[in-house]
Amino acid sequence: QVQLVESGGGSVQAGGSLRLSCAASGYTDISYCMGWFRQAPGKEREGVAHIYTGGGSTYYADSVKGRFTISQDNAKNTLYLQMNSLKPEDTAMYYCAAVSVWCVVAGLDAHEYNYWGQGTQVTVSS
């Protein structure tokens, strides 16, 4: 059973940066598509970025492209999301998620992911 624990959220002013971490445990030897998602109050969960643990290929939603970077440290079983040039519209609860399929299959569709963390809040003030 894969377990995911996010950390690193907080409050920051517009233009600032935050780095989210997602510590993973319970992995088997297979590769996973791991993604970051966010959900603002009253809105649907939105895919932000994903990375395939087996090869490191990444993909970003247009809303964060050029500002956010997803990365992994396989030695630490940790997923990261570096968020720069933050905007008030980035305010949301951020979740990491995982599924044992290729990312070309899972994409940024939250319904495709079956392991989820508890979330970490990011608040960006103007």
Side-chain angles (χ1 to χ4, degrees):
Q1 182 76 6
V2 175
Q3 293 182 325
L4 305 172
V5 179
E6 302 95 334
S7 61
S11 296
V12 65
Q13 289 191 328
S17 298
L18 284 173
R19 189 177 80 157
L20 305 183
S21 299
C22 173
S25 60
Y27 274 113
T28 63
D29 290 334
I30 60 176
S31 296
Y32 291 80
C33 182
M34 297 197 70
W36 284 101
F37 294 79
R38 65 187 182 186
Q39 188 167 20
K43 295 188 176 181
E44 291 190 356
R45 193 164 294 190
E46 172 192 19
V48 173
H50 64 57
I51 186 168
Y52 185 59
T53 63
S57 59
T58 60
Y59 179 84
Y60 299 90
D62 287 343
S63 57
V64 305
K65 200 173 295 182
R67 300 188 298 122
F68 290 12
T69 303
I70 188 171
S71 63
Q72 59 180 350
D73 185 332
N74 288 336
K76 296 182 179 179
N77 284 339
T78 301
L79 179 73
Y80 301 101
L81 185 69
Q82 177 67 44
M83 305 185 295
N84 298 328
S85 302
L86 282 162
K87 304 175 181 180
E89 51 263 43
D90 294 318
T91 295
M93 184 71 79
Y94 282 71
Y95 301 88
C96 70
V99 61
S100 57
V101 300
W102 293 349
C103 286
V104 294
V105 174
L108 288 177
D109 183 350
H111 297 95
E112 294 290 335
Y113 291 75
N114 52 358
Y115 299 108
W116 290 87
Q118 83 289 348
T120 186
Q121 177 68 38
V122 171
T123 302
V124 184
S125 59
S126 57

